[in-house]
Every structure is written in structure tokens, then in C-alpha cells.
Amino acid sequence: MEADGPFYRRERARLLAALTRVFGVENLSLAEDVVQETLAKAFEAWAFGGVPEHHSALLMASAKNRALDVFRRERTARKFAPALQHLIESEWTLRPAVEELFLPPALKDDELRMMFSCSHPHLAEEVQVALILNMLCGFGVEEISRIYLASVAAVEKRISRGKKVLGASQRLFDLTAEDFAPRLSAVHRALYLLFSEGYHGASDEAVIRAELCREALRLARLLVDHAPAATSATYAVAALMYLDAARLPGRTDEIGDLTALFEQDRSRWDGRLIADGLALLEQSAMGSELSEYHLEAGIAGMHATASRFEDTRWGEIVGLYDMLLKVRPSPVVALNRAMAIAQLEGPEKGLEAIEAISGIERLEDYPFYAAALGELELRCGRSEAARAHFQEALDLARNEAERRFLARRVEDCAGGKPAISRATPR
Amino acid sequence: MSQFVFLYREARTPSPQELESRMAKCLVWFKDLEKNGHLAYYGHPLNRTDGGVVRDAKGTVTDGPYAETKDIVIGFSLIEAKDFDQAVKLAAACPLVAGGCLIEVRPVLKL
């Protein structure tokens, strides 16, 4: 049983979703207090004899008892849902009402409803993701600030803004509501961003980033397992995450440095995740929808199924990037397309493709834009130009791992050795 | 072998995160004690709230043993050790101590 981080976070999220439904979203902070009390007491008790086998059920039972006490204590001081208000006035109806609120069928959709609630259209995407991290993944403000390399105060502000909007909504999002479909797209987007933060994000802590990916996978799985949410796009989002996450173990080498795709030890990729991802990708092909997630999942699938870098089907990848650019025009997508073109047609063509990107200046602060130029110049044999680009990228690096990776590239150029000879397709 | 009561005392209430990491460490510590034959009885954690020290026949109650402190017993265990010195060594290795807890080590009175 894993007793640190994830266990606590998972239980916190589950209890919070349930108690928020029980007390009503306007009493969110009350729900949070009760969750903290419940967990604190359990951790203290379990320090002596160990964590009991049915700890989840015990925690929920303990939360239920606390909820009973809260209703008794606060029934006159606080406003609860109108339907509940008269039931909690009398001890005769209070207990059965609360018992019912904690029965398995009532608990079933809490986390999903919370997820949809956090993806509120009045909230900026970054606020939605921060809320999901806090409410559904159980990350504290300090942890979230470490994820974004932001100040605690900034994250606090972001989350409290989110909670205000959440608290103003009447109740947790109803999964049968009319605006289910648009809300589902917002959820996709938020989970996609959550995953990307783990996969490409700025945080230096590999452990915390792997956890972000795991959490995103878990939440995507919740969507897949809930029939109305299991749309073709949902399968595509999940496939994308599985196929990318499968390659996570290969992304850092023994000393935790980032390794470029072509240097990765593919035997370290997670075969089970790849298999699951490919199955999800297949399911995403039902229906006629072709979302940006389908295309990205397709690209991820191409990489994950190439047993050697040289075997990658670059032609098809370029084709998928072409389509992706139409659905989601962005300089980052265009940059990735240019790198695929470089694989297919040679580095000079790749450099031409980069020059042709409109809005490339928006990537000025993105270390991997300069690094991409460096890679291609190096492959063209112009190591001086390459070195300058890598140096520029190094100056932009956002964390230690990126710095180490880029510093190594600068050195490779200085030595004049074509460090990436294997990058050219055979 | 002699027996010692460990009384865990603490004046503050740690955060849930602290309590969680403490729980993980305590479990390891207890397992070690058990493996090495030092654990006579796990004992119990005690509720931090609703307790008190009765001070006189009138039933005056304060939080801790001294009127001005909140230092309270948060749990107890029964430990087997060769002598007081060894019991102290065992207590010093307890993760609770590292977290700012005090452990009162009391030999069980033998006749």
C-alpha cells in the first residue's frame, strides 16, 4: 500500500467530491474542512496499527458521521440545498437522509460531476486545470505552484477565483444537462492540458510530472467508463495520453536527463500502455468525427509502434500534421511538422519548413524552437550555426533537466562531431 | 528484558500532509520494532480533543500536565528492551521525535 502522496490525494479528491455534493457547492470550504479533519484523524489512528484493508470505505463512513454532526451543528446557521433543508431539521429524518446521500449509487458519479463542474465556461482554461488539480487530483496550492513554477500567491488567486465561480453554480454539474456535449469538450481540453503539463511542462520534478500524467490518464479513464461521456473524441483523448505516457520511461535516461526521441531506448517504453492506447485509438475511430485529438493520437501511435527510430513512418506523420494544422493552427504544431519533414526529406527541407511558419516569432521564448534549428543546422554540417542556436535554447531553458540536455547539445557542436548521425533515416 | 511504556506527547497538531507522511514512517518504525522483538503491544493513538488532566478533587481540568501548556499524550505503546538505555535508543529512532514529538519513556514497575 503506498502511503505517501498519491494515496492521500486520491482519497482527498474522492471525499471532497462526495461532501461537495452533500453540502452543496456553495458550502465548498465547509466540505474541504471536513475532508481535512477526516483524513487527519485517520492518518493519526493508522500510524499505530497500519492502514486497514478497506480504508476507502472507512474514510467515507467517517466522513458521513462528520457530515451528520455538521448538519446537526449548522442546520440553522447555514443554508443547505432546499430539498435537504427540511429533512435535516428533525433527527427522525436527518439520519436516513444522510445515509442515502452516501449510498454507492449516490456516490457513483461524484468525481465525474466535479470534473464537469471544474470545466466551467466562465473560467479561463488555466483556472479550470488548476481547479481540477486541486479538487480532483488532490494537489495542494504549494504543489501546484511547483508544477507551474508560479508563486503560491498567484496559484492561490487562480484557485480562489475558480472556487468562487464553482460556489456560485447551484450544484455540481448534472450529467444529464442539456449542455453536456459542449461541457464534455471543455473537459477534454482541460484533461489534455493537464496531461501536457506533465508531459512537456516546465516543472523540474520528474516524479510530480509523471504523477500529473497518471492523474490525467485516470480521469480520462473515468470518462471512457461513463457511457454518455465515452464519445469518439473521449477515446481519442485517452488514446493520445496512453500512447504518449507509454514513452515516458524512455524520456529520461539514468541521470534523469531529457533524451531526444531518436536516442531513446525503446525497450523501456511501456508495452501494456501502448497496447491499451492502440485499443483506445481503434475505438476512437467509430463514427465520423476527426478531432484534433484523433490526429495527435494517430501521430503518437506512429511513434509508439515504430520499433526503431529509423522505422518511423514519417510520410504518414507529416500527413497527420498537415491535417492537425488545419484543425489547430499553431506554431508549435507547425514546428513539429517541420521536424517530421526534416526526417522525410532531409534537414535543409526541414529548415525551409520552419522559415515558412507564420507566427513563428511567438515561439521566441520556447527553448525547443531554438533547439530545433540547432538540430537541423547540425545535421546540415554547420556546427557553428548549430552551436549558436543551442546556446540560445540553453539560455531559455526552464529547468535543470532542460539545461543539462541543451548544454550537452552545445558541447556536441563544439566537438564538431555529428552527435546525431543516427537521426538521418536509412 | 524489561518493559517500557512509551508515551507520545505533542503540543501542536500537524497538518494532514504531515500526518500522512508521518503515518508512513511510523508504520516502518513499528514494523522494525516488531521484527526485532521489541514490540510488546502496539498500544493506541489517543484523541487530541475532548481529553484533559484532572487537577484536584473538585474536578478541575486542564489541557496538559502543566496549566499553561497544551502538551498532551497522543498515544502509547508497550516496548521490550534490555534496559533504559536501549529503550531510549529505540525511542530516539521514532519518526515522531524527528517531527517534534516528545516520547516519555517509563519502565514498567517490577516487584
Side-chain angles (χ1 to χ4, degrees), chain B residues 4-8 29 33 38 79-81 83-99 101-106:
Chain B
F4 297 82
V5 170
F6 279 16
L7 293 173
Y8 311 100
W29 180 71
L33 286 180
H38 288 304
I79 302 297
E80 301 260 2
D83 49 27
F84 181 73
D85 284 353
Q86 191 186 28
V88 168
K89 279 206 183 77
L90 294 173
C94 175
L96 292 177
V97 173
C101 229
L102 304 176
I103 299 183
E104 188 168 332
V105 180
R106 290 279 162 212

Side-chain angles (χ1 to χ4, degrees), chain A residues 54-68:
Chain A
H54 305 294
H55 59 266
S56 290
L58 282 171
L59 282 173
M60 197 55 87
S62 156
K64 181 178 71 189
N65 288 332
R66 273 162 212 281
L68 263 174

Side-chain angles (χ1 to χ4, degrees), chain B residues 38-49:
Chain B
H38 288 304
L39 194 62
Y41 178 52
Y42 263 107
H44 286 281
L46 301 175
N47 201 329
R48 286 170 191 271
T49 50

Side-chain angles (χ1 to χ4, degrees), chain A residues 3 8 41 44 46 48 50, chain B residues 16-17 20 27 30 42 47-48:
Chain A
Y8 158 70
K41 198 65 74 168
E44 199 151 36
W46 296 343
F48 277 65
Chain B
Q17 286 90 332
E20 193 200 12
L27 293 178
F30 272 120
Y42 263 107
N47 201 329
R48 286 170 191 271

Side-chain angles (χ1 to χ4, degrees), chain A residues 364-390:
Chain A
E364 265 170 6
D365 294 334
Y366 182 55
F368 290 99
Y369 165 47
L373 290 173
E375 295 290 354
L376 296 185
E377 289 289 357
L378 192 59
R379 282 183 221 173
C380 292
R382 296 187 284 271
S383 57
E384 229 358 87
R387 209 192 64 85
H389 287 304
F390 282 129

Side-chain angles (χ1 to χ4, degrees), chain B:
Chain B
M1 279 304 221
S2 306
Q3 290 197 325
F4 297 82
V5 170
F6 279 16
L7 293 173
Y8 311 100
R9 331 185 62 119
E10 193 164 47
R12 66 184 186 107
T13 308
S15 71
Q17 286 90 332
E18 260 182 288
L19 287 171
E20 193 200 12
S21 70
R22 171 190 280 193
M23 171 181 74
K25 290 177 198 150
C26 280
L27 293 178
V28 175
W29 180 71
F30 272 120
K31 275 275 156 326
D32 265 7
L33 286 180
E34 200 171 20
K35 201 178 67 201
N36 299 323
H38 288 304
L39 194 62
Y41 178 52
Y42 263 107
H44 286 281
L46 301 175
N47 201 329
R48 286 170 191 271
T49 50
D50 303 334
V53 177
V54 179
R55 309 206 69 86
D56 54 32
K58 283 184 296 187
T60 309
V61 173
T62 58
D63 282 342
Y66 308 105
E68 69 278 12
T69 64
K70 279 189 88 70
D71 171 29
I72 47 177
V73 178
I74 60 158
F76 66 91
S77 307
L78 191 59
I79 302 297
E80 301 260 2
K82 204 162 76 235
D83 49 27
F84 181 73
D85 284 353
Q86 191 186 28
V88 168
K89 279 206 183 77
L90 294 173
C94 175
L96 292 177
V97 173
C101 229
L102 304 176
I103 299 183
E104 188 168 332
V105 180
R106 290 279 162 212
V108 172
L109 183 63
K110 280 193 292 199
L111 288 179

Side-chain angles (χ1 to χ4, degrees), chain A residues 168-205:
Chain A
S169 47
Q170 293 292 308
R171 55 204 184 114
L172 284 182
F173 187 82
D174 185 348
L175 296 176
T176 57
E178 259 175 34
D179 57 340
F180 179 78
R183 195 59 82 90
L184 179 60
S185 320
V187 170
H188 288 155
R189 177 81 189 147
L191 294 189
Y192 175 82
L193 291 175
L194 172 63
F195 182 82
S196 302
E197 203 52 52
Y199 204 67
H200 304 288
S203 170
D204 199 9
E205 293 167 70

